[in-house]
Amino acid sequence: MGEEVKDVIMSHIRRDIMNGTLSTGIRFDGRKFDEYRPIEIQRSVIKTAEGSAVARIGETQVLVAAKFDVVKPFADRPKEGVMITNAELLPMASPGFEPGPPDENSIEMARVVDRALRSAECVDVSSFFIDDDKVLGLYLDIYVLNHAGNYTDAATLAAIATLMDTQMPKIENGKIVRGEFTGPLNPTSLPVTTTMVKVGENWLVDPSRDEERVLETALTIGTTEEHVCAMQKGRGSLSKEELFDAMEIAFKRGDDIRKLLKE
Amino acid sequence: MSDSKGKVELIVNGKRMDGRSADDLRDVKIQVGIINEADGSAYVEWGGNKIVCGIYGPRECIPRHGASPYHALIKCRYMMSPFSSLEEHSRSGPSRRSNELSKVIREVFENLIIAEKFPNTQIDIFIDVLQADGGTRTASITAAAVALANAGIPMKDMVSAVAVGKAGDMLALDLNKLEDNFGKSDMPLAISNRDKKILLVQMDGLLTKEEVMEMVDMVEKGCEKVHHIQTEALKRFYQDGNEKVKW
């Protein structure tokens, strides 16, 4: 209960101060409303995985690693490989994260990232076929290392950077030869998510932890170059006009991030 | 949601497999007060979906240390029965999917329930899908809204929910299971009836901005029809009393 009282009182004070600052057109950290914190991507950080990347958005850091295994295909798709996305909100990453099995927040985040990648069809799972009853399974593990706000966008970014970094394993006699590769996975599109939150009357792109504490509405939109590929509303409500405006912003910021990814 | 692409002919001569046109809803039937032990309840038949919803509370918060001195906690448990799909018997209990859906459904009602009236308590929303035919989350939200009204929980507004998607290349309201499985996109929405606020939006597949805009308008109209069915069900219950459920 102590935590709750602190959170409620603090967030009221924070909200008042924040609304005051926002009414002058800038955010606590000096950003414009539609501006991301500095974004940095580092690839091939885990040598034991077939692909990996760390994405930093401001102080938020998320690691994604890709591992292949030989698995059974799903019964309704015997010729296709599988891709499984899982997220861990590491207890070290935030005072609010606790050890234990994945909670609803990490499940939701993993499923939003998964939907964005899957809808964008960036991985051709039919190329994962090995033999009858044998296909490649691609495990994408998302590790949130430091949560300074907006881990969803950092996770999608690290995930797509990981897919760009991933090498296809060599297969011999239906088994993976570890450490030998046949070429890059080459994702065919670059899905990116853009998270926006409403504080007072203002929509803020890429919320900081402070902004997340006082948000009224949260919305994540995944985009490719031409399409919306995922949407998820978190807390709160919005009008359809706000939704349409948010899509516009998501395409713009998404294109910025796609440029970064191609560097 | 959708994953396989157009292996089945979903649209023939401009009509959908079940004879509906693009903006037709399936048959929706709602019955109120079907679980007499619960504080409020509703049963929804929506196409081939059969969903029951029971409400308990406001009641003591368990565990007690989780209670808030400021408002009632809203808890939601959405679950599919292991016999609810045509495929194999699934494992009972929560799944990653049901965990996510419980969360997004709870977040719909956190916007509506006047929780500040009941500090230190919790309000439970229990939803069980007995038979599934696509669009269970939207049917669940529709049922829960009616059940909460039946429980006398004060709310700022009512809510109705309908999904819209792409069957073949046609934008189509209220996808059934086949259209969902073989269609190209799916976007469930929940919209409050008076304020027209979007309380739930999720989406997968690939859509242009213009398509999304058109689909939101389709859902708005669909929600008005659903809202009418919801209010009629409540009126029937409070005028004529309890009717026995025909499962």
Side-chain angles (χ1 to χ4, degrees):
Chain A
M1 197 178 93
E3 200 54 34
E4 162 94 1
V5 174
K6 196 178 96 192
D7 266 7
V8 170
I9 295 172
M10 277 315 287
S11 78
H12 278 292
I13 296 170
R14 272 175 216 266
R15 183 172 293 137
D16 290 346
I17 299 172
M18 195 171 281
N19 278 330
T21 316
L22 291 176
S23 66
T24 66
I26 49 163
R27 296 157 77 171
F28 270 7
D29 49 15
R31 279 186 288 160
K32 293 192 211 98
F33 291 176
D34 62 350
E35 190 180 345
Y36 267 86
R37 292 165 287 174
I39 297 175
E40 225 179 276
I41 303 159
Q42 207 183 330
R43 293 171 218 249
S44 303
V45 290
I46 304 292
K47 305 299 175 207
T48 45
E50 277 83 19
S52 60
V54 169
R56 289 169 204 257
I57 303 183
E59 291 296 323
T60 294
Q61 291 184 61
V62 177
L63 162 71
V64 173
K67 280 292 278 183
F68 280 103
D69 270 335
V70 176
V71 298
K72 274 191 161 191
F74 288 118
D76 55 341
R77 271 164 243 273
K79 297 278 176 202
E80 285 179 11
V82 297
M83 183 173 82
I84 292 160
T85 311
N86 187 48
E88 298 281 346
L89 305 178
L90 299 183
M92 69 174 78
S94 162
F97 295 167
E98 281 166 26
D103 68 350
E104 58 177 24
N105 294 312
S106 70
I107 292 172
E108 181 183 38
M109 186 262 272
R111 286 176 59 88
V112 170
V113 174
D114 181 80
R115 279 210 282 277
L117 300 179
R118 212 173 281 276
S119 297
E121 297 170 26
C122 57
V123 175
D124 175 19
V125 282
S126 64
S127 70
F128 288 3
F129 180 75
I130 302 172
D131 206 344
D132 283 345
D133 243 21
K134 262 188 191 170
V135 296
L136 282 175
L138 171 56
Y139 291 90
L140 282 178
D141 287 301
I142 301 168
Y143 267 44
V144 176
L145 299 174
N146 186 32
H147 174 35
N150 193 16
Y151 56 59
T152 308
D153 291 356
T156 317
L157 183 55
I160 189 67
T162 295
L163 292 177
M164 293 168 84
D165 181 60
T166 299
Q167 294 288 324
M168 293 301 292
K170 190 178 164 189
I171 313 284
E172 248 173 34
N173 305 325
K175 279 188 186 140
I176 292 176
V177 185
R178 297 286 175 188
E180 291 185 43
F181 308 102
T182 56
L185 168 72
N186 276 338
T188 50
S189 65
L190 297 180
V192 159
T193 58
T194 300
T195 297
M196 286 154 270
V197 301
K198 194 179 183 186
V199 178
E201 284 310 302
N202 301 301
W203 281 92
L204 311 175
V205 170
D206 177 34
S208 66
R209 195 67 198 98
D210 265 344
E211 288 161 351
E212 280 180 354
R213 282 197 187 95
V214 301
L215 67 85
E216 282 134 58
T217 304
L219 178 68
T220 298
I221 299 181
T223 56
T224 63
E225 279 85 349
E226 277 134 27
H227 292 101
V228 181
C229 63
M231 283 205 266
Q232 183 91 344
K233 185 192 75 67
R235 279 200 344 236
S237 66
L238 72 163
S239 69
K240 66 174 178 180
E241 289 74 23
E242 287 174 315
L243 177 69
F244 301 157
D245 291 345
M247 281 194 286
E248 202 70 55
I249 294 173
F251 275 115
K252 279 194 200 134
R253 293 292 84 83
D255 286 341
D256 295 345
I257 295 174
R258 271 183 280 279
K259 255 184 227 145
L260 271 180
L261 273 166
K262 285 176 195 161
E263 274 170 14
Chain B
M1 295 199 198
S2 62
D3 29 23
S4 184
K5 313 289 161 232
K7 281 176 197 154
V8 175
E9 279 299 323
L10 294 172
I11 308 291
V12 179
N13 299 329
K15 290 273 179 197
R16 294 154 71 178
M17 306 178 83
D18 48 11
R20 285 185 290 157
S21 51
D23 53 1
D24 280 343
L25 290 173
R26 290 171 284 178
D27 279 342
V28 180
K29 276 187 259 171
I30 303 177
Q31 268 186 283
V32 180
I34 54 135
I35 302 166
N36 85 328
E37 289 291 316
D39 296 318
S41 59
Y43 170 60
V44 169
E45 267 186 44
W46 186 315
N49 291 306
K50 295 186 174 187
I51 297 168
V52 277
C53 176
I55 307 293
Y56 284 86
R59 62 178 176 180
E60 189 186 6
C61 191
I62 294 173
R64 259 178 150 157
H65 63 80
S68 162
Y70 300 98
H71 55 76
L73 292 193
I74 294 156
K75 298 185 175 181
C76 177
R77 174 186 177 269
Y78 161 100
M79 206 90 106
M80 299 258 273
S81 72
F83 47 81
S84 64
S85 80
L86 268 179
E87 289 86 46
E88 68 268 36
H89 180 263
S90 59
R91 217 171 42 174
S92 50
S95 64
R96 289 166 68 84
R97 177 179 173 278
S98 77
N99 268 312
E100 185 202 343
L101 293 203
S102 299
K103 177 174 188 285
V104 297
I105 295 171
R106 187 190 75 227
E107 285 168 343
V108 168
F109 291 102
E110 280 174 347
N111 288 300
L112 298 176
I113 295 172
I114 305 175
E116 304 83 65
K117 271 184 179 279
F118 310 106
N120 293 312
T121 67
Q122 69 181 28
I123 296 168
D124 285 299
I125 304 171
F126 295 122
I127 297 163
D128 282 273
V129 178
L130 306 179
Q131 186 179 297
D133 182 28
T136 60
R137 82 193 70 188
T138 45
S140 297
I141 290 165
T142 301
V146 172
L148 281 162
N150 178 230
I153 309 271
M155 289 190 283
K156 296 173 192 145
D157 205 338
M158 270 294 269
V159 62
S160 314
V162 182
V164 59
K166 233 178 172 180
D169 288 319
M170 185 166 90
L171 301 184
L173 194 64
D174 185 24
L175 300 185
N176 65 27
K177 176 90 179 156
L178 264 173
E179 291 173 325
D180 187 6
N181 284 359
F182 295 101
K184 285 182 182 151
S185 180
D186 180 26
M187 180 165 77
L189 282 154
I191 300 179
S192 61
N193 301 116
R194 190 161 20 86
D195 291 350
K196 303 290 176 219
K197 288 278 190 183
I198 298 172
L199 304 183
L200 170 125
V201 53
Q202 297 184 280
M203 177 267 185
D204 71 16
L206 290 173
L207 295 171
T208 62
K209 187 179 172 229
E210 289 67 31
E211 284 172 331
V212 173
M213 294 170 79
E214 195 182 334
M215 288 157 87
V216 173
D217 287 334
M218 287 169 77
V219 169
E220 248 183 13
K221 293 196 188 94
C223 278
E224 272 166 36
K225 290 182 197 162
V226 174
H227 180 231
H228 179 73
I229 301 168
Q230 286 172 301
T231 42
E232 286 305 308
L234 283 162
K235 270 192 211 159
R236 239 181 12 254
F237 176 77
Y238 288 108
Q239 278 170 5
D240 312 335
N242 225 337
E243 34 182 334
K244 223 177 183 176
V245 181
K246 254 184 86 186
W247 301 99

